């Protein structure tokens, strides 16, 4: 690579890191079949790319845009995620209106009960009912007031 070519390019693109990225992008474009804007003169693709940048025969804005698009990644949203987002938006409206959303009914012994604590109130009510049936009420096991 000729030193003169790099020094000419630095005048057009002052940041050397940007220069490397843009020249590499142009060299990839040339390798994939893009038309040359200057004569090749038995030079390899990176040297041709640098010469094109130095001579300003290739638009730098479109080269930079192609570079950015090549590094972007799109996150795909599943349809199920969209439904969840819609439901969450509905909950925000309920909270603004002051209405508490109803908890979904969970199956007995499911993971949802332990995770979300849905069945906690039901378990406490059942324990109180069992204590009242025994007649022991609030007495603790091993207490001195236990007559059984």
């Amino acid at each position: 690579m000729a030193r003169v070519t790099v020094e000419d390019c630095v005048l057009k693109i002052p940041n050397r890191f940007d220069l490397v990225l843009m020249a590499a992008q142009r060299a990839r474009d040339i390798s994939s079949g893009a038309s040359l804007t200057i004569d090749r003169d038995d030079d390899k693709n990176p040297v041709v790319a640098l010469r094109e940048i130095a001579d300003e025969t290739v638009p730098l804005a479109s080269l930079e845009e192609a570079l950015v698009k090549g590094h972007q990644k799109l996150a795909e949203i599943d349809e199920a995620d969209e439904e969840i987002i819609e439901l969450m938006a509905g909950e925000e409206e309920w909270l603004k209106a002051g209405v508490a959303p109803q908890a979904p009914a969970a199956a007995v012994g499911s993971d949802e009960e332990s995770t979300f604590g849905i069945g906690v109130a039901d378990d406490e009510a059942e324990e109180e009912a069992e204590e009242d049936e025994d007649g022991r009420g609030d007495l603790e096991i091993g207490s001195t007031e236990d007559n059984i």
Side-chain angles (χ1 to χ4, degrees):
M1 198 171 348
R3 185 170 191 75
V4 176
T5 306
V6 174
E7 290 175 358
D8 293 339
C9 290
V10 171
L11 297 175
K12 309 300 182 206
I13 303 173
N15 188 337
R16 290 180 186 263
F17 297 106
D18 289 341
L19 174 61
V20 169
L21 290 174
M22 303 265 277
Q25 179 64 39
R26 180 60 184 155
R28 282 191 294 270
D29 291 346
I30 293 170
S31 296
S32 65
S35 62
L36 299 176
T37 58
I38 60 170
D39 293 332
R40 182 176 282 277
D41 294 334
D42 294 328
D43 291 328
K44 294 183 180 179
N45 291 341
V47 176
V48 172
L50 286 170
R51 287 180 45 215
E52 288 179 340
I53 291 172
D55 293 341
E56 293 183 348
T57 57
V58 63
L60 298 179
S62 64
L63 192 59
E64 185 176 0
E65 184 178 331
L67 179 67
V68 170
K69 284 186 179 181
H71 286 86
Q72 286 180 339
K73 294 182 181 176
L74 299 176
E76 295 181 19
I77 298 176
D78 295 337
E79 292 179 16
D81 292 342
E82 291 175 359
E83 292 175 9
I84 291 171
I85 292 171
E86 290 175 11
L87 290 173
M88 291 174 68
E91 288 180 5
E92 290 176 9
E93 292 173 4
W94 289 338
L95 292 174
K96 288 179 184 176
V99 178
Q102 296 178 352
V108 176
S110 69
D111 290 337
E112 295 171 355
E113 281 185 10
S114 62
T115 304
F116 298 109
I118 294 172
V120 173
D122 294 335
D123 293 340
E124 291 175 1
E126 289 177 14
E127 289 176 8
E128 289 178 11
E130 289 176 6
E131 289 177 0
D132 291 340
E133 290 176 9
D134 287 352
R136 290 187 276 176
D138 293 334
L139 296 178
E140 296 179 10
I141 297 175
S143 69
T144 56
E145 298 178 14
D146 195 5
N147 293 331
I148 297 180

